[in-house]
């Protein structure tokens, strides 16, 4: 609660663009410094917010050093020109199109996100659409899904199982795709390693 925040007397309060305006105004009126940061959906936006946060806490040089380290990691992972195609599938047959953090990760890993052909952000796709897009691999986030309710039944569908057996499915930990930034090099590296492993051990039909 706002009263508890004021009682803690912080030097800085981090707000999101969706924070209530009256909360921001009250903090400013009380002389409590605020900085607004969003949940970055791509690495370039995260770079800007790292510097903005460093500036807000009076440690911009350290933030730039930290960012240089992340940039160096990303430079080593550059895989432009790779043609392997991926399609992310989530609950209720949702996929991730342009403007989503996974889209940025897939692109930086050197792959093509076929979810872009479905739309922007989170988009529902039918099984027919999945087959029509024809990705080489399905990308699943978190633990291998099981059909435990209506939202997850798509993963157990016979058509999906037939065309995308385990050898054509790649899983990334959910912790790597919550927000762009420090986790982006980890996610890109993990995806590249998974692709190399899967492509080396099987040939998609």
């Amino acid at each position: 609660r706002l009263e508890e925040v004021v009682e803690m007397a912080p030097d800085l309060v981090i707000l999101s663009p969706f924070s209530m305006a009256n909360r921001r105004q009250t903090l400013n009126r009380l002389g409590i410094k605020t900085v607004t940061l969003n949940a970055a959906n791509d690495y370039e936006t995260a770079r800007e917010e790292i510097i903005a946060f460093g500036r807000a806490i009076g440690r911009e040089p350290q933030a730039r050093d930290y960012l240089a380290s992340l940039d160096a990691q990303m430079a080593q992972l550059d895989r432009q020109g790779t043609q392997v195609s991926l399609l992310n599938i989530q609950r209720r047959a949702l996929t991730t199109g342009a403007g989503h953090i996974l889209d940025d990760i897939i692109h930086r890993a050197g792959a093509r996100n076929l979810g872009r052909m479905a739309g922007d952000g989170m988009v529902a796709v039918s099984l027919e659409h999945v087959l029509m897009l024809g990705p080489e691999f399905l990308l699943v986030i978190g633990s291998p899904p099981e059909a435990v309710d209506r939202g997850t039944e798509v993963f157990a569908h016979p058509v999906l199982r037939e065309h995308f057996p385990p050898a054509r499915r790649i899983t990334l930990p959910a912790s790597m795709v919550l927000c762009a930034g420090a986790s982006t090099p980890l996610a890109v590296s993990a995806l590249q390693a998974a692709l190399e492993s899967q492509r080396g051990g099987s040939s998609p039909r």
Side-chain angles (χ1 to χ4, degrees):
R1 296 180 303 170
L2 182 59
E3 294 83 354
E4 294 171 316
V5 174
V6 174
E7 187 176 330
M8 293 176 189
D11 295 309
L12 178 71
V13 174
I14 303 171
L15 301 174
S16 85
F18 306 103
S19 296
M20 292 182 293
N22 63 341
R23 171 168 293 196
R24 188 189 315 272
Q25 294 165 357
T26 300
L27 291 172
N28 291 337
R29 188 167 59 250
L30 293 173
I32 298 177
K33 184 179 178 182
T34 65
V35 61
T36 301
L37 299 176
N38 202 352
N41 278 326
D42 58 73
Y43 182 68
E44 284 304 317
T45 303
R47 294 180 79 259
E48 298 171 2
E49 295 207 334
I50 288 171
I51 300 303
F53 182 65
R55 188 179 298 119
I57 62 174
R59 294 177 62 84
E60 185 173 345
Q62 292 88 340
R64 292 191 179 279
D65 288 343
Y66 174 65
L67 182 56
S69 174
L70 290 180
D71 285 343
Q73 295 178 51
M74 292 301 302
Q76 293 180 345
L77 297 169
D78 188 5
R79 295 280 181 86
Q80 293 183 16
T82 306
Q83 294 300 310
V84 60
S85 60
L86 304 178
L87 184 69
N88 169 241
I89 292 293
Q90 300 187 24
R91 285 179 57 91
R92 300 190 182 280
L94 292 173
T95 191
T96 50
H100 192 279
I101 183 173
L102 272 176
D103 179 61
D104 188 53
I105 291 170
I106 292 170
H107 174 71
R108 292 178 180 276
R112 289 185 298 130
N113 176 24
L114 296 187
R116 284 188 167 208
M117 300 177 67
D120 297 339
M122 299 292 295
V123 188
V125 290
S126 64
L127 288 174
E128 292 82 2
H129 199 179
V130 172
L131 297 182
M132 183 191 72
L133 291 172
E136 294 182 60
F137 297 99
L138 288 186
L139 177 59
V140 180
I141 303 304
S143 303
E146 299 179 358
V148 296
D149 55 27
R150 293 296 300 273
T152 55
E153 63 184 3
V154 61
F155 295 106
H157 196 284
V159 171
L160 208 62
R161 283 183 168 179
E162 176 186 353
H163 290 269
F164 298 96
R168 294 187 63 188
R169 299 191 187 198
I170 292 174
T171 301
L172 285 183
S175 59
M176 290 185 179
V177 300
L178 292 177
C179 186
S183 61
T184 302
L186 299 176
V188 171
S189 178
L191 179 54
Q192 289 176 344
L195 284 170
E196 290 172 0
S197 175
Q198 295 289 63
R199 298 190 88 185
S202 64
S203 297
R205 291 182 291 174

